[in-house]
Amino acid sequence: MSTVWLKCLSYEARVVVALLACGAGLRIIWAAEGQNPVPYFSEIYRVGAALAPTGRFADPFGVSTGATAHVGMLTPLPSAAAYWLFGAGSPTAELALSIWAAGLVSLGLWLCWRLAHVLEIPPPARLAAVAFVALVPLQFKMEVREGRNWEVNLA
């Protein structure tokens, strides 16, 4: 795997990438810790579980509850893809969705760091903020459990 792109980054950006990678790793370990990842039963989970085998954008409140306009069009697509590949609610699908959620959190934190860079916030403050939000487990449950199926990480 080539790391040419990493050589183009500044020292600060490399530190941020390392912090975000560690933070994503902590989130994934947290999601996989203990028992197998279990589904987070929500409307988006149910729509994704219906979309995978049937192709119907339906059943947000249980089987045979019908079509829905309540759930955004793109929100259940990652869930549906994971459930199509690994089976709805399977530990592998839920772990894959946790990895997806951790990636989205890391992307959001990277974008916040870039904004702080554009706003010319001093580098020590930027790095301290990234380190804090990436490594301190403030909302790991929401980020990698509920975030597997919610639109919270997409926002």
Side-chain angles (χ1 to χ4, degrees):
M1 184 173 178
S2 176
T3 58
V4 173
W5 64 272
L6 193 56
K7 293 177 185 171
C8 297
L9 296 176
S10 68
Y11 176 76
E12 181 183 357
R14 283 187 238 156
V15 170
V16 169
V17 167
L19 288 169
L20 294 177
C22 290
L26 287 172
R27 285 166 174 81
I28 293 164
I29 290 168
W30 185 90
E33 189 70 23
Q35 54 184 285
N36 291 328
V38 294
Y40 181 71
F41 295 106
S42 65
E43 292 119 359
I44 297 167
Y45 164 81
R46 291 184 186 97
V47 170
L51 191 58
T54 66
R56 292 178 5 143
F57 199 84
D59 303 336
F61 303 108
V63 178
S64 301
T65 56
T68 182
H70 180 305
V71 175
M73 293 301 292
L74 298 177
T75 306
L77 292 182
S79 299
Y83 298 153
W84 180 74
L85 289 170
F86 305 114
S90 72
T92 306
E94 298 304 322
L95 184 59
L97 288 170
S98 292
I99 293 169
W100 165 258
L104 288 176
V105 168
S106 295
L107 175 62
L109 296 177
W110 171 266
L111 293 173
C112 288
W113 171 77
R114 289 295 302 145
L115 178 63
H117 195 275
V118 169
L119 293 174
E120 298 178 356
I121 293 173
R126 293 192 302 248
L127 288 174
V130 169
F132 182 77
V133 296
L135 302 176
V136 176
L138 296 175
Q139 297 189 16
F140 279 14
K141 180 182 177 194
M142 184 183 80
E143 293 169 351
V144 296
R145 181 158 158 61
E146 286 96 347
R148 289 183 284 203
N149 299 108
W150 270 2
E151 60 271 356
V152 67
N153 290 338
L154 295 172

mmCIF file of all heavy atoms in Angstrom, residues 6-46:
data_model
loop_
_atom_site.group_PDB
_atom_site.id
_atom_site.type_symbol
_atom_site.label_atom_id
_atom_site.label_comp_id
_atom_site.label_asym_id
_atom_site.label_seq_id
_atom_site.Cartn_x
_atom_site.Cartn_y
_atom_site.Cartn_z
ATOM 1 N N LEU A 6 0.571 10.492 2.130
ATOM 2 C CA LEU A 6 0.911 10.905 3.490
ATOM 3 C C LEU A 6 2.137 11.810 3.503
ATOM 4 O O LEU A 6 2.233 12.718 4.325
ATOM 5 C CB LEU A 6 1.134 9.669 4.355
ATOM 6 C CG LEU A 6 1.200 9.864 5.853
ATOM 7 C CD1 LEU A 6 -0.064 10.544 6.357
ATOM 8 C CD2 LEU A 6 1.375 8.541 6.550
ATOM 9 N N LYS A 7 3.067 11.596 2.572
ATOM 10 C CA LYS A 7 4.269 12.426 2.502
ATOM 11 C C LYS A 7 3.941 13.855 2.077
ATOM 12 O O LYS A 7 4.695 14.769 2.346
ATOM 13 C CB LYS A 7 5.270 11.801 1.545
ATOM 14 C CG LYS A 7 5.837 10.489 2.055
ATOM 15 C CD LYS A 7 6.759 9.860 1.053
ATOM 16 C CE LYS A 7 7.207 8.491 1.565
ATOM 17 N NZ LYS A 7 7.926 7.738 0.570
ATOM 18 N N CYS A 8 2.821 14.031 1.386
ATOM 19 C CA CYS A 8 2.411 15.365 0.942
ATOM 20 C C CYS A 8 1.801 16.181 2.075
ATOM 21 O O CYS A 8 1.656 17.393 1.953
ATOM 22 C CB CYS A 8 1.399 15.255 -0.199
ATOM 23 S SG CYS A 8 2.073 14.471 -1.656
ATOM 24 N N LEU A 9 1.421 15.533 3.149
ATOM 25 C CA LEU A 9 0.778 16.220 4.264
ATOM 26 C C LEU A 9 1.805 16.896 5.157
ATOM 27 O O LEU A 9 2.930 16.420 5.314
ATOM 28 C CB LEU A 9 -0.035 15.230 5.093
ATOM 29 C CG LEU A 9 -1.217 14.558 4.402
ATOM 30 C CD1 LEU A 9 -1.848 13.536 5.338
ATOM 31 C CD2 LEU A 9 -2.239 15.567 3.951
ATOM 32 N N SER A 10 1.388 17.980 5.780
ATOM 33 C CA SER A 10 2.247 18.664 6.740
ATOM 34 C C SER A 10 2.410 17.791 7.988
ATOM 35 O O SER A 10 1.678 16.819 8.186
ATOM 36 C CB SER A 10 1.636 20.006 7.119
ATOM 37 O OG SER A 10 0.447 19.800 7.866
ATOM 38 N N TYR A 11 3.346 18.178 8.825
ATOM 39 C CA TYR A 11 3.556 17.449 10.077
ATOM 40 C C TYR A 11 2.281 17.442 10.913
ATOM 41 O O TYR A 11 1.880 16.406 11.447
ATOM 42 C CB TYR A 11 4.714 18.075 10.864
ATOM 43 C CG TYR A 11 4.915 17.435 12.214
ATOM 44 C CD1 TYR A 11 5.522 16.194 12.321
ATOM 45 C CD2 TYR A 11 4.474 18.077 13.370
ATOM 46 C CE1 TYR A 11 5.695 15.597 13.558
ATOM 47 C CE2 TYR A 11 4.644 17.481 14.613
ATOM 48 C CZ TYR A 11 5.249 16.244 14.698
ATOM 49 O OH TYR A 11 5.403 15.644 15.916
ATOM 50 N N GLU A 12 1.634 18.599 11.010
ATOM 51 C CA GLU A 12 0.400 18.691 11.791
ATOM 52 C C GLU A 12 -0.674 17.778 11.232
ATOM 53 O O GLU A 12 -1.368 17.080 11.980
ATOM 54 C CB GLU A 12 -0.114 20.129 11.820
ATOM 55 C CG GLU A 12 -1.375 20.297 12.643
ATOM 56 C CD GLU A 12 -1.926 21.708 12.612
ATOM 57 O OE1 GLU A 12 -1.308 22.595 12.005
ATOM 58 O OE2 GLU A 12 -2.989 21.908 13.209
ATOM 59 N N ALA A 13 -0.816 17.742 9.901
ATOM 60 C CA ALA A 13 -1.831 16.876 9.291
ATOM 61 C C ALA A 13 -1.522 15.404 9.557
ATOM 62 O O ALA A 13 -2.443 14.607 9.785
ATOM 63 C CB ALA A 13 -1.908 17.144 7.788
ATOM 64 N N ARG A 14 -0.244 15.034 9.559
ATOM 65 C CA ARG A 14 0.118 13.644 9.870
ATOM 66 C C ARG A 14 -0.232 13.289 11.313
ATOM 67 O O ARG A 14 -0.689 12.186 11.593
ATOM 68 C CB ARG A 14 1.605 13.413 9.613
ATOM 69 C CG ARG A 14 1.900 13.265 8.147
ATOM 70 C CD ARG A 14 3.339 12.881 7.925
ATOM 71 N NE ARG A 14 3.894 13.931 7.089
ATOM 72 C CZ ARG A 14 5.150 14.246 7.014
ATOM 73 N NH1 ARG A 14 6.040 13.611 7.718
ATOM 74 N NH2 ARG A 14 5.552 15.206 6.223
ATOM 75 N N VAL A 15 -0.021 14.226 12.215
ATOM 76 C CA VAL A 15 -0.399 13.998 13.615
ATOM 77 C C VAL A 15 -1.914 13.832 13.713
ATOM 78 O O VAL A 15 -2.402 12.938 14.418
ATOM 79 C CB VAL A 15 0.106 15.150 14.518
ATOM 80 C CG1 VAL A 15 -0.474 15.052 15.919
ATOM 81 C CG2 VAL A 15 1.625 15.159 14.570
ATOM 82 N N VAL A 16 -2.655 14.663 13.009
ATOM 83 C CA VAL A 16 -4.123 14.568 13.033
ATOM 84 C C VAL A 16 -4.573 13.227 12.456
ATOM 85 O O VAL A 16 -5.454 12.563 13.023
ATOM 86 C CB VAL A 16 -4.763 15.753 12.269
ATOM 87 C CG1 VAL A 16 -6.246 15.541 12.055
ATOM 88 C CG2 VAL A 16 -4.515 17.047 13.029
ATOM 89 N N VAL A 17 -3.985 12.791 11.354
ATOM 90 C CA VAL A 17 -4.337 11.488 10.773
ATOM 91 C C VAL A 17 -4.060 10.376 11.778
ATOM 92 O O VAL A 17 -4.883 9.457 11.946
ATOM 93 C CB VAL A 17 -3.569 11.250 9.442
ATOM 94 C CG1 VAL A 17 -3.679 9.799 8.998
ATOM 95 C CG2 VAL A 17 -4.091 12.181 8.360
ATOM 96 N N ALA A 18 -2.915 10.442 12.469
ATOM 97 C CA ALA A 18 -2.592 9.422 13.474
ATOM 98 C C ALA A 18 -3.594 9.437 14.623
ATOM 99 O O ALA A 18 -4.053 8.379 15.081
ATOM 100 C CB ALA A 18 -1.174 9.638 13.999
ATOM 101 N N LEU A 19 -3.955 10.620 15.097
ATOM 102 C CA LEU A 19 -4.948 10.728 16.175
ATOM 103 C C LEU A 19 -6.302 10.173 15.736
ATOM 104 O O LEU A 19 -6.967 9.447 16.494
ATOM 105 C CB LEU A 19 -5.103 12.181 16.621
ATOM 106 C CG LEU A 19 -3.940 12.773 17.410
ATOM 107 C CD1 LEU A 19 -4.111 14.282 17.559
ATOM 108 C CD2 LEU A 19 -3.837 12.105 18.779
ATOM 109 N N LEU A 20 -6.709 10.507 14.523
ATOM 110 C CA LEU A 20 -7.999 10.019 14.029
ATOM 111 C C LEU A 20 -7.990 8.508 13.817
ATOM 112 O O LEU A 20 -8.980 7.835 14.087
ATOM 113 C CB LEU A 20 -8.382 10.748 12.743
ATOM 114 C CG LEU A 20 -8.654 12.240 12.891
ATOM 115 C CD1 LEU A 20 -8.959 12.864 11.546
ATOM 116 C CD2 LEU A 20 -9.762 12.513 13.890
ATOM 117 N N ALA A 21 -6.866 7.978 13.348
ATOM 118 C CA ALA A 21 -6.759 6.520 13.187
ATOM 119 C C ALA A 21 -6.836 5.828 14.545
ATOM 120 O O ALA A 21 -7.526 4.807 14.686
ATOM 121 C CB ALA A 21 -5.455 6.177 12.474
ATOM 122 N N CYS A 22 -6.157 6.379 15.552
ATOM 123 C CA CYS A 22 -6.240 5.814 16.905
ATOM 124 C C CYS A 22 -7.663 5.913 17.446
ATOM 125 O O CYS A 22 -8.173 4.966 18.060
ATOM 126 C CB CYS A 22 -5.270 6.519 17.839
ATOM 127 S SG CYS A 22 -3.545 6.158 17.496
ATOM 128 N N GLY A 23 -8.305 7.062 17.231
ATOM 129 C CA GLY A 23 -9.679 7.237 17.683
ATOM 130 C C GLY A 23 -10.636 6.268 17.009
ATOM 131 O O GLY A 23 -11.510 5.686 17.656
ATOM 132 N N ALA A 24 -10.466 6.071 15.697
ATOM 133 C CA ALA A 24 -11.318 5.115 14.981
ATOM 134 C C ALA A 24 -11.076 3.701 15.511
ATOM 135 O O ALA A 24 -12.019 2.925 15.703
ATOM 136 C CB ALA A 24 -11.056 5.187 13.483
ATOM 137 N N GLY A 25 -9.805 3.377 15.750
ATOM 138 C CA GLY A 25 -9.489 2.065 16.307
ATOM 139 C C GLY A 25 -10.120 1.845 17.678
ATOM 140 O O GLY A 25 -10.666 0.775 17.957
ATOM 141 N N LEU A 26 -10.068 2.869 18.536
ATOM 142 C CA LEU A 26 -10.712 2.765 19.851
ATOM 143 C C LEU A 26 -12.212 2.548 19.720
ATOM 144 O O LEU A 26 -12.811 1.759 20.460
ATOM 145 C CB LEU A 26 -10.443 4.024 20.669
ATOM 146 C CG LEU A 26 -9.033 4.199 21.215
ATOM 147 C CD1 LEU A 26 -8.872 5.571 21.842
ATOM 148 C CD2 LEU A 26 -8.728 3.109 22.220
ATOM 149 N N ARG A 27 -12.833 3.259 18.783
ATOM 150 C CA ARG A 27 -14.276 3.111 18.580
ATOM 151 C C ARG A 27 -14.627 1.711 18.089
ATOM 152 O O ARG A 27 -15.615 1.117 18.523
ATOM 153 C CB ARG A 27 -14.779 4.176 17.615
ATOM 154 C CG ARG A 27 -14.862 5.541 18.242
ATOM 155 C CD ARG A 27 -15.035 6.653 17.206
ATOM 156 N NE ARG A 27 -15.242 7.937 17.851
ATOM 157 C CZ ARG A 27 -14.280 8.696 18.339
ATOM 158 N NH1 ARG A 27 -13.030 8.311 18.265
ATOM 159 N NH2 ARG A 27 -14.562 9.849 18.911
ATOM 160 N N ILE A 28 -13.818 1.177 17.191
ATOM 161 C CA ILE A 28 -14.079 -0.163 16.659
ATOM 162 C C ILE A 28 -13.863 -1.210 17.743
ATOM 163 O O ILE A 28 -14.658 -2.147 17.878
ATOM 164 C CB ILE A 28 -13.207 -0.420 15.415
ATOM 165 C CG1 ILE A 28 -13.662 0.501 14.279
ATOM 166 C CG2 ILE A 28 -13.280 -1.875 14.987
ATOM 167 C CD1 ILE A 28 -12.677 0.632 13.145
ATOM 168 N N ILE A 29 -12.797 -1.049 18.540
ATOM 169 C CA ILE A 29 -12.569 -1.972 19.655
ATOM 170 C C ILE A 29 -13.735 -1.893 20.635
ATOM 171 O O ILE A 29 -14.230 -2.918 21.110
ATOM 172 C CB ILE A 29 -11.234 -1.662 20.356
ATOM 173 C CG1 ILE A 29 -10.073 -2.048 19.441
ATOM 174 C CG2 ILE A 29 -11.131 -2.361 21.702
ATOM 175 C CD1 ILE A 29 -8.731 -1.537 19.903
ATOM 176 N N TRP A 30 -14.202 -0.685 20.930
ATOM 177 C CA TRP A 30 -15.333 -0.516 21.843
ATOM 178 C C TRP A 30 -16.565 -1.214 21.285
ATOM 179 O O TRP A 30 -17.306 -1.869 22.025
ATOM 180 C CB TRP A 30 -15.617 0.965 22.068
ATOM 181 C CG TRP A 30 -16.685 1.189 23.081
ATOM 182 C CD1 TRP A 30 -16.526 1.342 24.425
ATOM 183 C CD2 TRP A 30 -18.090 1.263 22.842
ATOM 184 N NE1 TRP A 30 -17.740 1.503 25.026
ATOM 185 C CE2 TRP A 30 -18.724 1.459 24.069
ATOM 186 C CE3 TRP A 30 -18.879 1.170 21.703
ATOM 187 C CZ2 TRP A 30 -20.096 1.565 24.201
ATOM 188 C CZ3 TRP A 30 -20.247 1.276 21.823
ATOM 189 C CH2 TRP A 30 -20.831 1.484 23.060
ATOM 190 N N ALA A 31 -16.803 -1.083 19.970
ATOM 191 C CA ALA A 31 -17.987 -1.694 19.362
ATOM 192 C C ALA A 31 -17.915 -3.215 19.390
ATOM 193 O O ALA A 31 -18.935 -3.891 19.530
ATOM 194 C CB ALA A 31 -18.141 -1.211 17.927
ATOM 195 N N ALA A 32 -16.707 -3.774 19.244
ATOM 196 C CA ALA A 32 -16.547 -5.226 19.187
ATOM 197 C C ALA A 32 -16.301 -5.855 20.550
ATOM 198 O O ALA A 32 -16.306 -7.083 20.665
ATOM 199 C CB ALA A 32 -15.393 -5.573 18.248
ATOM 200 N N GLU A 33 -16.075 -5.039 21.569
ATOM 201 C CA GLU A 33 -15.748 -5.536 22.903
ATOM 202 C C GLU A 33 -16.907 -6.350 23.491
ATOM 203 O O GLU A 33 -18.067 -6.068 23.245
ATOM 204 C CB GLU A 33 -15.434 -4.359 23.822
ATOM 205 C CG GLU A 33 -14.889 -4.723 25.165
ATOM 206 C CD GLU A 33 -13.477 -5.272 25.110
ATOM 207 O OE1 GLU A 33 -12.755 -5.005 24.148
ATOM 208 O OE2 GLU A 33 -13.121 -5.978 26.054
ATOM 209 N N GLY A 34 -16.547 -7.318 24.295
ATOM 210 C CA GLY A 34 -17.570 -8.103 24.990
ATOM 211 C C GLY A 34 -18.294 -9.047 24.046
ATOM 212 O O GLY A 34 -17.682 -9.852 23.370
ATOM 213 N N GLN A 35 -19.591 -8.896 23.985
ATOM 214 C CA GLN A 35 -20.379 -9.780 23.132
ATOM 215 C C GLN A 35 -20.369 -9.280 21.689
ATOM 216 O O GLN A 35 -19.944 -8.186 21.400
ATOM 217 C CB GLN A 35 -21.805 -9.862 23.646
ATOM 218 C CG GLN A 35 -22.455 -8.491 23.800
ATOM 219 C CD GLN A 35 -23.822 -8.589 24.403
ATOM 220 O OE1 GLN A 35 -24.741 -8.988 23.720
ATOM 221 N NE2 GLN A 35 -23.936 -8.232 25.654
ATOM 222 N N ASN A 36 -20.841 -10.117 20.800
ATOM 223 C CA ASN A 36 -20.917 -9.731 19.391
ATOM 224 C C ASN A 36 -21.788 -8.498 19.245
ATOM 225 O O ASN A 36 -22.748 -8.322 19.990
ATOM 226 C CB ASN A 36 -21.513 -10.873 18.564
ATOM 227 C CG ASN A 36 -20.574 -12.056 18.479
ATOM 228 O OD1 ASN A 36 -19.363 -11.891 18.477
ATOM 229 N ND2 ASN A 36 -21.124 -13.252 18.422
ATOM 230 N N PRO A 37 -21.470 -7.643 18.275
ATOM 231 C CA PRO A 37 -22.314 -6.462 18.072
ATOM 232 C C PRO A 37 -23.751 -6.875 17.749
ATOM 233 O O PRO A 37 -23.979 -7.738 16.918
ATOM 234 C CB PRO A 37 -21.676 -5.766 16.877
ATOM 235 C CG PRO A 37 -20.289 -6.292 16.809
ATOM 236 C CD PRO A 37 -20.340 -7.681 17.373
ATOM 237 N N VAL A 38 -24.672 -6.285 18.455
ATOM 238 C CA VAL A 38 -26.087 -6.584 18.222
ATOM 239 C C VAL A 38 -26.718 -5.406 17.480
ATOM 240 O O VAL A 38 -26.248 -4.281 17.586
ATOM 241 C CB VAL A 38 -26.838 -6.845 19.546
ATOM 242 C CG1 VAL A 38 -26.316 -8.111 20.207
ATOM 243 C CG2 VAL A 38 -26.705 -5.669 20.486
ATOM 244 N N PRO A 39 -27.766 -5.668 16.714
ATOM 245 C CA PRO A 39 -28.394 -4.574 15.957
ATOM 246 C C PRO A 39 -28.983 -3.511 16.874
ATOM 247 O O PRO A 39 -29.391 -3.785 17.998
ATOM 248 C CB PRO A 39 -29.510 -5.269 15.182
ATOM 249 C CG PRO A 39 -29.219 -6.717 15.245
ATOM 250 C CD PRO A 39 -28.395 -6.952 16.462
ATOM 251 N N TYR A 40 -29.009 -2.299 16.366
ATOM 252 C CA TYR A 40 -29.697 -1.206 17.030
ATOM 253 C C TYR A 40 -31.035 -1.070 16.314
ATOM 254 O O TYR A 40 -31.101 -0.550 15.210
ATOM 255 C CB TYR A 40 -28.882 0.088 16.936
ATOM 256 C CG TYR A 40 -29.553 1.252 17.623
ATOM 257 C CD1 TYR A 40 -29.628 1.296 19.004
ATOM 258 C CD2 TYR A 40 -30.120 2.277 16.886
ATOM 259 C CE1 TYR A 40 -30.248 2.347 19.642
ATOM 260 C CE2 TYR A 40 -30.741 3.338 17.518
ATOM 261 C CZ TYR A 40 -30.808 3.369 18.892
ATOM 262 O OH TYR A 40 -31.429 4.403 19.529
ATOM 263 N N PHE A 41 -32.079 -1.595 16.928
ATOM 264 C CA PHE A 41 -33.391 -1.658 16.274
ATOM 265 C C PHE A 41 -34.006 -0.264 16.201
ATOM 266 O O PHE A 41 -34.383 0.312 17.209
ATOM 267 C CB PHE A 41 -34.304 -2.632 17.017
ATOM 268 C CG PHE A 41 -33.800 -4.043 16.954
ATOM 269 C CD1 PHE A 41 -33.223 -4.635 18.055
ATOM 270 C CD2 PHE A 41 -33.872 -4.766 15.777
ATOM 271 C CE1 PHE A 41 -32.738 -5.927 17.999
ATOM 272 C CE2 PHE A 41 -33.392 -6.060 15.701
ATOM 273 C CZ PHE A 41 -32.818 -6.649 16.820
ATOM 274 N N SER A 42 -34.064 0.247 15.005
ATOM 275 C CA SER A 42 -34.632 1.563 14.742
ATOM 276 C C SER A 42 -35.354 1.483 13.403
ATOM 277 O O SER A 42 -35.316 0.459 12.726
ATOM 278 C CB SER A 42 -33.524 2.618 14.686
ATOM 279 O OG SER A 42 -32.668 2.363 13.590
ATOM 280 N N GLU A 43 -35.990 2.584 13.032
ATOM 281 C CA GLU A 43 -36.688 2.594 11.742
ATOM 282 C C GLU A 43 -35.716 2.351 10.599
ATOM 283 O O GLU A 43 -36.013 1.627 9.648
ATOM 284 C CB GLU A 43 -37.411 3.926 11.530
ATOM 285 C CG GLU A 43 -38.575 4.132 12.464
ATOM 286 C CD GLU A 43 -38.388 5.355 13.337
ATOM 287 O OE1 GLU A 43 -37.352 6.027 13.234
ATOM 288 O OE2 GLU A 43 -39.288 5.624 14.135
ATOM 289 N N ILE A 44 -34.529 2.947 10.689
ATOM 290 C CA ILE A 44 -33.559 2.814 9.598
ATOM 291 C C ILE A 44 -33.028 1.387 9.523
ATOM 292 O O ILE A 44 -32.819 0.861 8.432
ATOM 293 C CB ILE A 44 -32.437 3.854 9.764
ATOM 294 C CG1 ILE A 44 -33.046 5.248 9.659
ATOM 295 C CG2 ILE A 44 -31.352 3.666 8.736
ATOM 296 C CD1 ILE A 44 -32.161 6.367 10.096
ATOM 297 N N TYR A 45 -32.838 0.737 10.677
ATOM 298 C CA TYR A 45 -32.438 -0.670 10.668
ATOM 299 C C TYR A 45 -33.490 -1.493 9.935
ATOM 300 O O TYR A 45 -33.170 -2.307 9.073
ATOM 301 C CB TYR A 45 -32.260 -1.196 12.095
ATOM 302 C CG TYR A 45 -32.224 -2.700 12.152
ATOM 303 C CD1 TYR A 45 -31.050 -3.387 11.864
ATOM 304 C CD2 TYR A 45 -33.363 -3.438 12.453
ATOM 305 C CE1 TYR A 45 -31.022 -4.771 11.884
ATOM 306 C CE2 TYR A 45 -33.335 -4.820 12.483
ATOM 307 C CZ TYR A 45 -32.160 -5.484 12.190
ATOM 308 O OH TYR A 45 -32.127 -6.848 12.212
ATOM 309 N N ARG A 46 -34.747 -1.277 10.271
ATOM 310 C CA ARG A 46 -35.821 -2.075 9.671
ATOM 311 C C ARG A 46 -35.961 -1.809 8.173
ATOM 312 O O ARG A 46 -36.212 -2.719 7.395
ATOM 313 C CB ARG A 46 -37.123 -1.815 10.405
ATOM 314 C CG ARG A 46 -37.104 -2.386 11.820
ATOM 315 C CD ARG A 46 -38.441 -2.204 12.535
ATOM 316 N NE ARG A 46 -38.330 -2.632 13.903
ATOM 317 C CZ ARG A 46 -38.098 -1.816 14.928
ATOM 318 N NH1 ARG A 46 -37.945 -0.531 14.721
ATOM 319 N NH2 ARG A 46 -38.021 -2.285 16.159
#
